[in-house]
Amino acid sequence: MKSDMSDRQDYFKTALSNFTFDVASGGAIRHLTDRGYTADQIRKMLDVPTPFGRIQDTIWKHLLDKEVILLEEPGSGGKREKYDFIAEYDSWGRRSYRRVVVEEKVQEPVRWQEKVFAGKGREELWGLLREKTGENGEGFSYISCDFGLHSRRDPKQYAQRLEQLEEPLRNYILGIPWERKLSYHRLDERMRQIAVSLYESGGYKGSCYFVKTGEKVILGS
């Protein structure tokens, strides 16, 4: 069994490694993610060679922190907290870290008005998503994503499904390390393109959420 001293040494080695990575690559990855670059594009643009998995993990955490991706259904309500860690020193100069809440949001649950969009074509869907996103704003418009589930349940069919997307859209989806659960992505222009392309090819069933107007649009039912 490791001693407490050994545990602390491992902890600080990890903390130092994370700090070094953040200085060398983390900030650049987050900045390039905000500018719309995919994980593969970011890998090629970094000055410091960085493992692809670490790039993906940084992208994933950043998208969660900015609520571009949610792990709970939009409008589910409750309290959301964001944390940070601050260093503290005792009288002997020993350092420890304390987790603090840097932001807290309390949200009321949304009572959804459900509508079904079925049997209609690409242009109608594109127009609907553009209209509703315009009314609500991208920050209050989401679409459900089962990529993390489908990629593990049936990798071959999942690959065939993504072949329906143009390469830049496909690379965006493949560059995100989706968790094995249903998640929700902000309905920005790129995700609207992805939704319309997959819906048209029969490769999408899910829901779009428009929080301000309280509308939930079910696709592909």
Side-chain angles (χ1 to χ4, degrees):
M1 180 179 295
K2 291 184 177 180
S3 65
D4 290 343
M5 178 64 74
S6 178
D7 289 340
R8 286 197 293 271
Q9 288 176 341
D10 288 345
Y11 173 81
F12 286 117
K13 284 180 182 178
T14 301
L16 179 59
S17 174
N18 290 338
F19 175 77
T20 303
F21 165 76
D22 201 61
V23 171
S25 300
I29 294 170
R30 291 188 290 272
H31 173 69
L32 293 171
T33 298
D34 288 340
R35 293 187 61 187
Y37 289 100
T38 67
D40 190 55
Q41 289 173 321
I42 292 173
R43 177 181 61 82
K44 297 172 182 176
M45 297 172 71
L46 293 176
D47 294 329
V48 179
T50 306
F52 189 64
R54 194 146 199 188
I55 294 172
Q56 289 182 297
D57 290 344
T58 303
I59 290 173
W60 177 253
K61 183 178 185 304
H62 186 57
L63 294 177
L64 291 176
D65 287 344
K66 297 198 71 175
E67 297 186 354
V68 174
I69 292 178
L70 304 178
L71 297 180
E72 296 180 358
E73 185 180 63
S76 57
K79 182 170 66 175
R80 292 184 183 174
E81 297 177 336
K82 291 185 178 179
Y83 299 95
D84 201 356
F85 291 86
I86 61 172
E88 295 181 332
Y89 298 85
D90 63 16
S91 58
W92 298 94
R94 293 175 298 196
R95 181 172 56 183
S96 62
Y97 289 88
R98 179 165 58 91
R99 188 174 77 162
V100 297
V101 177
V102 296
E103 185 178 355
E104 181 177 287
K105 297 180 181 178
V106 178
Q107 300 174 327
E108 293 296 323
V110 176
R111 295 184 178 181
W112 296 109
Q113 305 172 43
E114 294 190 0
K115 302 178 181 180
V116 177
F117 182 93
K120 300 180 182 180
R122 179 187 184 95
E123 294 302 321
E124 290 86 353
L125 179 56
W126 179 258
L128 174 68
L129 296 183
R130 184 173 55 186
E131 175 190 347
K132 294 303 177 183
T133 304
E135 287 181 37
N136 290 265
E138 289 184 356
F140 297 91
S141 305
Y142 286 87
I143 186 168
S144 61
C145 300
D146 67 349
F147 301 118
L149 293 168
H150 194 190
S151 62
R152 293 168 174 84
R153 288 175 179 169
D154 193 335
K156 183 177 180 180
Q157 187 185 67
Y158 176 69
Q160 292 173 346
R161 174 187 180 191
L162 294 190
E163 282 297 322
Q164 307 304 316
L165 298 175
E166 296 180 1
E167 185 176 2
L169 302 179
R170 183 169 64 251
N171 287 344
Y172 177 71
I173 297 299
L174 292 173
I176 295 176
W178 304 92
E179 290 189 9
R180 192 170 188 168
K181 61 182 296 183
L182 195 64
S183 56
Y184 307 85
H185 194 293
R186 188 175 293 170
L187 256 177
D188 53 28
E189 183 174 357
R190 176 160 51 191
M191 282 305 297
R192 293 197 296 272
Q193 292 175 349
I194 290 170
V196 169
S197 296
L198 291 178
Y199 177 82
E200 184 182 38
S201 66
Y204 179 80
K205 291 185 179 180
S207 299
C208 297
Y209 299 81
F210 302 100
V211 178
K212 285 187 175 181
T213 56
E215 295 171 278
K216 177 180 178 180
V217 181
I218 302 170
L219 306 181
S221 64

